[in-house]
Amino acid sequence: MSASTMAGSPNRAETRAIKRSPYPGWFFTPAAIIYSVLFLVPTFASLYFSLTRWTLFDSEFIGLENFAQFLREPFLIKGLINTVIYAAVTSGLKVVVGLLLAVMLTSQIVGRGYLRSVIFFPVLVSTVGVGITFTVLMHPTQGMINETLALFGIAGPGWLTDPNLALYSVALVDVWKGVGLATVIYIAGLVAIPQDYYEAARIDGATPWQNFWYVTLPLCRPATSTVITLSFIGGLRTFDLIWAMTKGGPGFASDTIASVIYKQYQAGFYGLSTAGNVVLFILIALLVVPLTMFLNRKQGHE
Amino acid sequence: MKKRTSILGGAAAIAATFVVFVIPFIFIILMAFKDRQQSALRDFSLPTGFHFWENVVEVVKTRNWMMITAFINSSIITVVSVTLLVIFAAMVGYVLARRKTRWNGLIEFLVLAGLMVPPAVVPTIWLLQGLQLFGTLHGMILIEVAYNLPFSIILYRAFVATIPRDLDEAAIIDGARPLDVFFRIVLPLLWPVTVTNIVVQSVGIFNDFTNPLYYLPGNANATVQLTLYNFQSQFSTAYNLLFTNILLITIPPLLVFMFFNRQIVAGMTAGAVKG
Amino acid sequence: MAGLELRQLRKSYGKVEVIKGVDLTIEHGEFVVFVGPSGCGKSTLLRMIAGLEDITGGELVIGDKVVNAVEPRDRGIAMVFQSYALYPHMTVYDNVGFGLKLARTPKEVRDQKIREAARILQMEHLLDRKPSQLSGGQRQRVAIGRAIVRQPEVFLFDEPLSNLDAALRVDMRMEISKLHSELDATMIYVTHDQVEAMTLADKIVVLDGGVVQQVGSPIELYKHPANLFVAGFIGSPKMNFVEVNADKIVGETVHVSGPDVVGVPVALPAGKVHPGDKLTLGVRPHDLVVAPSGAIVGRVGLVERLGNETIVNLELPSGASWLAVLDGDQALKRGESLALDVDPAKALLFDANGLAVAAG
Ligand SMILES: Nc1ncnc2c1ncn2[C@@H]1O[C@H](COP(=O)(O)OP(=O)(O)O)[C@@H](O)[C@H]1O
Ligand SMILES: [Mg+2]
């Protein structure tokens, strides 16, 4: 009796020991270190450095001066407005064109495999390569686009040289390159719609247009919100395509915040460049958070 | 009746997409076959001679074989960072999906933030300099890992959730330790999403222009995307070489596209739908 | 030798307690079945024994060691899951041998053990297949084989047959029973199916709401349920109940009456109940017999004539519905009045708290 309690007492202490989880927390460690050091730390540091005049070696605190400059300089304001326009135009077009292409590709149309590949392939191609190619194609006098238009007696515009048009031309190329992704997202959304809905609608005598408007469109809302969110964030952050095609020009006509950040960095205005980063961050937070909330709330009502 | 409209519609769609999506690529190919003089016209004519091979040789030799260096650099960056991404993201996605703790909310928030928040460029450069990693391949690799972790984690977490927990538990009863469970049971079962991850992330990292531009300056460290600026100058651009270059750096994504089309589409849509 | 002892075992998820202090002793070599309605905590209790759930309170002893903080692999247990949980990327051979491989068992020994297990379960021809190429019953065998090769002291089964069709379930039930007698190991088996429990168990543990309701052999539980819950849960069809009061006590017989029955005699030692006590009368459908002067009278409802027996739905005066399983074929008509009687020794009484008024 007493022997068994004696033998039991060390075991009793063992009871207290917490058994290790089979899902060890240290699995987070490598990712956490890399992510924290190279992403989180700079992000938080940017909040401070955006308030300084900064040479990388030393920084002088100047309060909100960098931000004030952002709101004062016309070319910086222009960049801000351009960024929003660019994001809105590209995501809007990707939604419309992507949905139409997806509807087409999920119908009984011939050559679906070919169409799908052709539309999707540009997604995988180097953005800079695409940008350079279209810069050549969009040349006002020697570009293939305007030369082709001229065959029909149309005088093509200066796609990238007209200050009022340059940003939209780049946006158009962005849509050309990115619409394939929107399309496949919509295709995934469309094939997930149960066929019953269409059958029920057919029994109710719906026309194809009513089908689209009352069945397809509401039921692929999750895909729509994905496409909008994804391409809107992407649009706000775009740098490479703009840099490859116009470098923000002509003048500052097609500058966006991302290109301003780069230009200020190149010019050595590190504090101002970092302020640009913070502005972009705030812009994304201000626009994307309400946007996703709006899109998701609507979804909940369905 | 229905059949005929679908054929007519198909023909129209094929023609339209051909003009919009295929002609630019044909243009690239034609340009790569021309000599310098003809390419300067930048029109849609057939090449007058076969100059592709000499263009390739010249592109490769330019600037002291920069193209070769660039391909090596890009390959190293892509292979190493994708390897690290796969392992680290799978580990996070696995524990995140399996273990419910009060940290999960924070981690998920950070993952989503990583997808939305643009990296703060100059502070990152400042930090990399402090760590002696600025302008090095190591630094570039770590940057690619850090920036692409959130997407990979989301892919993995969603997929781990579809693997029955019973399997982990059966393995635990069989005597598996945490690392055994992960590497012998879970990771092999994550293979489909790993392929997706590898494919999507390698294309993205191989095509990355912005980050090497900032964090990896200098010709010795050039990546393929930066070689495109070798043949452009304000006054005389060698268009034949420029387009040969574009063609060359499009080959890897093209191969990936031909072999892994389905995984890419699956991965991009899956990641997108969750994100 | 590995018996088990559960001492005041408790489990909470946050504030919700799902196992509320379970005490239980399991002897080496016993076949113990945990049975209870879905959600009562059977799986949780089993998983606590396996080491897959942390123990919130109390002690768990396997053999002569407290194992609360011992890893599953060191508890000398093996488990068969309801979903079988076969590793999809491994062949049957590797599935069965995985645990041995982890334990660094030499290759030849491993091979021999795997083949031995395959022989016992008659699945030698399946060794090269992947789980996806197996039928449900075959997967079940592999899952059991994986448990056998570990030569555990204690086998744990969590509803292992519930994914099989009825015929296969009977076969596998016999197979598991045979295995138990061959292997000389302790087996703990979870099911919500009381027929499975009755046929397999040496000892049944009835659980409800995280509390042990009764522990005993199948026949003990059938004949002497400790409370209304066990009485209602064990036995098929379900026991009939009706509210009554004790009328008069004559020697070892209590006569009970209520709105539905008048003067039903129940055998009971003197002094257990007193006239006027509020009680519940329980009678198993099989214990009812037709008797023109019977104390239980009702209107015949649905009648199922099976030839060897007849199942009658009886509507009592208060509207309560009883089931009677009568011997042989009885040509009863819907709506006619029927009087039934019960052997006083087989009728059961429960007090106001639902506890059995023990006949012993
Ligand atoms: N991980 C968990 N978190 C919270 N509650 C749980 C968890 N697992 C089980 N439960 C609850 O514990 C109770 C017992 O579950 P379980 O043991 O699975 O029942 P069963 O007897 O059907 O096997 C149920 O009410 C269930 O909802
Ligand atoms: Mg259960």
Side-chain angles (χ1 to χ4, degrees):
Chain A
M1 191 61 171
S2 74
S4 86
T5 42
M6 287 295 276
S9 51
N11 287 337
R12 216 167 264 279
E14 211 176 307
T15 318
R16 300 259 152 72
I18 297 161
K19 213 154 60 61
R20 282 183 317 166
S21 164
Y23 307 114
W26 67 262
F27 271 37
F28 291 134
T29 316
I33 291 176
I34 295 179
Y35 185 76
S36 309
V37 172
L38 293 175
F39 184 76
L40 293 182
V41 170
T43 300
F44 284 108
S46 72
L47 298 180
Y48 170 73
F49 286 120
S50 64
L51 305 174
T52 65
R53 190 171 291 124
W54 186 26
T55 66
L56 284 185
F57 300 106
D58 63 302
S59 56
E60 177 198 342
F61 189 81
I62 54 169
L64 293 172
E65 179 50 34
N66 287 324
F67 294 97
Q69 197 173 349
F70 241 97
L71 300 178
R72 217 168 35 225
E73 300 274 353
F75 75 96
L76 295 178
I77 297 178
K78 177 90 179 155
L80 200 69
I81 295 170
N82 277 349
T83 306
V84 179
I85 293 176
Y86 186 88
V89 169
T90 50
S91 56
L93 280 177
K94 282 177 192 173
V95 165
V96 174
V97 180
L99 179 56
L100 292 181
L101 289 174
V103 168
M104 185 176 93
L105 288 178
T106 46
S107 69
Q108 296 299 319
I109 200 165
V110 293
R112 269 189 295 179
Y114 156 84
L115 290 170
R116 207 185 269 218
S117 307
V118 159
I119 293 166
F120 186 72
F121 183 58
V123 173
L124 303 180
V125 176
S126 145
T127 309
V128 182
V130 168
I132 291 173
T133 306
F134 273 91
T135 312
V136 170
L137 293 176
M138 285 178 162
H139 191 280
T141 51
Q142 290 167 298
M144 228 182 71
I145 295 177
N146 280 359
E147 281 175 357
T148 311
L149 288 177
L151 292 182
F152 298 99
I154 303 167
W159 297 100
L160 299 171
T161 48
D162 180 344
N164 294 321
L165 202 57
L167 185 74
Y168 297 95
S169 301
V170 179
L172 221 53
V173 176
D174 192 321
V175 174
W176 180 88
K177 178 168 158 47
V179 77
L181 182 54
T183 307
V184 295
I185 291 173
Y186 267 121
I187 290 175
L190 290 179
V191 298
I193 297 176
Q195 217 48 41
D196 313 4
Y197 287 103
Y198 293 103
E199 277 158 18
R202 201 165 70 205
I203 291 166
D204 291 340
T207 64
W209 172 248
Q210 287 170 326
N211 251 341
F212 176 79
W213 198 251
Y214 295 109
V215 181
T216 309
L217 207 52
L219 287 178
C220 68
R221 177 161 261 146
T224 304
S225 80
T226 303
V227 172
I228 292 180
T229 319
L230 215 62
S231 45
F232 199 76
I233 296 176
L236 291 175
R237 290 169 59 161
T238 298
F239 169 74
D240 42 11
L241 191 61
I242 287 177
W243 196 249
M245 293 187 72
T246 65
K247 296 208 163 43
F252 307 112
S254 62
D255 258 328
T256 62
I257 299 181
S259 69
V260 167
I261 293 172
Y262 184 66
K263 283 179 178 174
Q264 299 304 327
Y265 159 70
Q266 270 191 317
F269 298 125
Y270 298 134
L272 190 58
S273 171
T274 306
N277 249 307
V278 175
V279 169
L280 181 54
F281 167 52
I282 294 171
L283 193 67
I284 289 179
L286 285 183
L287 294 178
V288 175
V289 172
L291 183 70
T292 42
M293 269 161 54
F294 170 75
L295 291 169
N296 290 336
R297 192 200 57 202
K298 272 267 178 129
Q299 208 173 305
H301 276 289
E302 291 297 321
Chain B
M1 182 57 189
K2 202 156 182 199
K3 186 117 193 217
R4 179 164 314 152
T5 54
S6 91
I7 291 176
L8 280 181
I14 289 171
T17 53
F18 185 81
V19 170
V20 175
F21 289 103
V22 182
I23 290 217
F25 287 107
I26 296 180
F27 178 73
I28 294 174
I29 297 169
L30 288 178
M31 290 292 273
F33 279 80
K34 295 174 181 176
D35 62 16
R36 180 157 186 163
Q37 244 172 339
Q38 196 197 357
S39 72
L41 297 174
R42 285 166 275 167
D43 56 5
F44 201 72
S45 56
L46 286 177
T48 49
F50 183 85
H51 302 283
F52 180 61
W53 190 242
E54 56 194 73
N55 288 344
V56 169
V57 171
E58 196 169 342
V59 165
V60 171
K61 274 179 160 171
T62 302
R63 290 235 204 144
N64 203 9
W65 306 86
M66 183 165 152
M67 191 72 175
I68 303 286
T69 321
F71 255 96
I72 292 174
N73 286 342
S74 282
S75 308
I76 292 174
I77 293 171
T78 306
V79 170
V80 178
S81 49
V82 169
T83 308
L84 295 180
L85 266 173
V86 162
I87 295 174
F88 295 163
M91 285 163 70
V92 173
Y94 168 63
V95 177
L96 203 55
R98 284 294 198 246
R99 192 170 155 184
K100 301 283 167 264
T101 70
R102 61 204 138 102
W103 297 101
N104 281 24
L106 175 70
I107 295 170
E108 272 156 33
F109 171 79
L110 288 177
V111 167
L112 285 185
L115 288 178
M116 289 210 307
V117 176
V121 178
V122 190
T124 309
I125 293 173
W126 167 75
L127 191 91
L128 287 173
Q129 284 181 341
L131 297 172
Q132 314 265 305
L133 287 172
F134 183 63
T136 66
L137 289 184
H138 301 80
M140 194 61 234
I141 287 166
L142 291 175
I143 287 281
E144 295 289 7
V145 174
Y147 291 179
N148 292 299
L149 266 174
F151 179 81
S152 288
I153 289 175
I154 285 177
L155 278 187
Y156 273 117
R157 201 210 26 201
F159 200 86
V160 169
T162 68
I163 297 179
R165 225 192 163 100
D166 284 1
L167 292 181
D168 311 5
E169 295 182 340
I172 291 167
I173 300 266
D174 264 344
R177 284 152 217 273
L179 283 176
D180 295 319
V181 179
F182 179 68
F183 282 104
R184 294 190 195 225
I185 305 293
V186 177
L187 201 53
L189 295 177
L190 291 174
W191 183 241
V193 75
T194 298
V195 173
T196 303
N197 245 311
I198 292 176
V199 171
V200 173
Q201 298 287 26
S202 2
V203 170
I205 293 172
F206 187 84
N207 281 339
D208 189 7
F209 168 74
T210 313
N211 293 314
L213 181 69
Y214 278 121
Y215 307 125
L216 201 57
N219 283 342
N221 290 324
T223 61
V224 288
Q225 304 302 320
L226 296 170
T227 58
L228 290 173
Y229 284 92
N230 279 348
F231 310 102
Q232 262 186 321
S233 81
Q234 207 135 20
F235 307 106
S236 60
T237 297
Y239 286 103
N240 57 332
L241 302 184
L242 180 61
F243 281 93
T244 306
N245 198 336
I246 292 177
L247 195 60
L248 287 182
I249 69 170
T250 305
I251 291 172
L254 180 66
L255 292 178
V256 166
F257 176 69
M258 292 191 316
F259 291 110
F260 298 105
N261 191 358
R262 193 178 322 140
Q263 283 90 342
I264 301 182
V265 171
M268 286 190 164
T269 49
V273 170
K274 302 288 183 236
Chain C
M1 294 289 90
L4 284 87
E5 206 176 325
L6 283 60
R7 298 183 193 140
Q8 276 301 303
L9 225 48
R10 286 172 192 281
K11 174 75 192 176
S12 310
Y13 292 109
K15 285 202 181 68
V16 188
E17 190 166 51
V18 294
I19 300 292
K20 301 170 182 163
V22 168
D23 282 303
L24 187 65
T25 305
I26 296 171
E27 304 295 335
H28 171 79
E30 255 184 328
F31 198 120
V32 176
V33 175
F34 294 171
V35 70
S38 167
C40 71
K42 308 177 295 286
S43 297
T44 307
L45 192 56
L46 191 77
R47 292 162 53 80
M48 286 161 79
I49 296 172
L52 294 172
E53 298 282 355
D54 284 333
I55 293 170
T56 312
E59 277 184 347
L60 171 65
V61 180
I62 300 181
D64 48 13
K65 220 169 94 193
V66 176
V67 295
N68 286 35
V70 174
E71 298 287 334
R73 62 172 171 272
D74 300 323
R75 291 189 180 192
I77 48 121
M79 184 158 166
V80 176
F81 291 79
Q82 178 174 0
S83 64
Y84 317 137
L86 302 181
Y87 313 124
H89 56 303
M90 297 183 193
T91 60
V92 168
Y93 185 92
D94 290 331
N95 260 284
V96 174
F98 184 63
L100 298 173
K101 201 176 202 169
L102 289 173
R104 305 226 163 75
T105 313
K107 204 161 177 214
E108 310 79 58
V109 182
R110 206 162 76 209
D111 185 69
Q112 185 211 326
K113 285 188 173 179
I114 295 170
R115 292 192 188 282
E116 169 69 9
R119 193 190 53 75
I120 294 176
L121 294 164
Q122 294 148 30
M123 55 175 203
E124 286 130 310
H125 59 296
L126 302 176
L127 285 175
D128 294 329
R129 298 210 197 155
K130 288 275 181 69
S132 58
Q133 299 164 309
L134 302 177
S135 69
Q138 291 170 331
R139 287 178 202 185
Q140 180 67 75
R141 271 167 208 281
V142 177
I144 293 174
R146 195 168 59 181
I148 289 179
V149 288
R150 306 197 62 227
Q151 295 177 317
E153 308 256 20
V154 184
F155 281 88
L156 307 175
F157 296 88
D158 191 354
E159 311 223 9
L161 306 184
S162 57
N163 285 344
L164 300 178
D165 61 50
L168 207 51
R169 209 179 305 178
V170 175
D171 288 350
M172 285 308 294
R173 206 162 74 198
M174 296 204 289
E175 196 116 6
I176 290 175
S177 193
K178 201 175 96 204
L179 213 59
H180 176 236
S181 56
E182 281 172 13
L183 291 178
D184 181 41
T186 311
M187 291 193 171
I188 304 178
Y189 186 106
V190 161
T191 179
H192 63 267
D193 177 353
Q194 54 95 20
V195 177
E196 237 168 60
M198 297 290 283
T199 50
L200 282 170
D202 296 326
K203 181 148 101 190
I204 295 182
V205 178
V206 183
L207 284 166
D208 188 39
V211 176
V212 173
Q213 302 293 324
Q214 191 174 1
V215 180
S217 73
I219 292 307
E220 244 173 271
L221 262 55
Y222 185 86
K223 288 196 170 153
H224 308 294
N227 55 33
L228 278 173
F229 177 81
V230 177
F233 193 79
I234 300 288
S236 170
K238 226 166 109 62
M239 186 182 279
N240 299 305
F241 296 111
V242 67
E243 305 281 319
V244 292
N245 289 306
D247 266 354
K248 57 178 185 196
I249 299 162
V250 183
E252 303 235 311
T253 306
V254 185
H255 293 263
V256 297
S257 299
D260 285 322
V261 295
V262 184
V264 178
V266 181
L268 205 65
K272 294 267 186 185
V273 297
H274 305 285
D277 281 359
K278 271 180 75 75
L279 298 166
T280 303
L281 171 69
V283 181
R284 294 205 183 273
H286 282 97
D287 293 338
L288 289 164
V289 290
V290 180
S293 63
I296 302 158
V297 182
R299 199 166 289 282
V300 173
L302 197 65
V303 179
E304 291 174 25
R305 294 169 66 178
L306 303 176
N308 63 334
E309 58 183 24
T310 307
I311 304 173
V312 186
N313 238 307
L314 200 67
E315 195 187 308
L316 298 185
S318 73
S321 167
W322 272 33
L323 213 60
V325 180
L326 307 173
D327 272 348
D329 187 33
Q330 310 266 355
L332 294 167
K333 279 202 207 64
R334 216 188 159 106
E336 75 176 283
S337 171
L338 180 67
L340 298 172
D341 213 347
V342 62
D343 176 354
K346 287 183 176 166
L348 297 170
L349 286 176
F350 300 89
D351 67 17
N353 296 323
L355 297 179
V357 180

